[in-house]
Amino acid sequence: PVDGAKLTAAMLAELPPELRVNLDKATLVANRQDILEVIDGIAAHSPSAAELLQELVQNFEIDRIRELLGEVG
């Protein structure tokens, strides 16, 4: 099973800035559909990060995604 807790700020830091901004905006309004669409785009750059992000969304841990984005800056 996938463990969303294994997602790190370093993994998000490797994503293109535009994707991080889009993820930040989507998680700010907590729209699951928007978040999942951004994650689809992330999958092309980092399938493992996308899989972990999906796990966090499915477990309603959007705050954790925001926390990690905050660590990236």
Side-chain angles (χ1 to χ4, degrees):
V2 176
D3 182 1
K6 293 182 179 172
L7 184 69
T8 64
M11 293 171 81
L12 295 180
E14 293 175 5
L15 298 173
E18 180 183 341
L19 285 175
R20 287 198 312 269
V21 168
N22 290 345
L23 184 60
D24 183 60
K25 288 178 182 174
T27 56
L28 184 61
V29 296
N31 181 319
R32 283 175 54 95
Q33 187 58 43
D34 287 351
I35 297 168
L36 292 173
E37 286 177 17
V38 174
I39 292 172
D40 283 346
I42 289 171
H45 296 276
S46 177
S48 57
E51 190 173 12
L52 295 171
L53 283 163
Q54 285 177 340
E55 180 71 17
L56 289 172
V57 172
Q58 288 169 358
N59 292 332
F60 300 96
E61 296 183 66
I62 293 168
D63 288 343
R64 178 65 183 145
I65 298 171
R66 295 203 49 74
E67 187 179 301
L68 290 170
L69 285 168
E71 290 176 25
V72 174

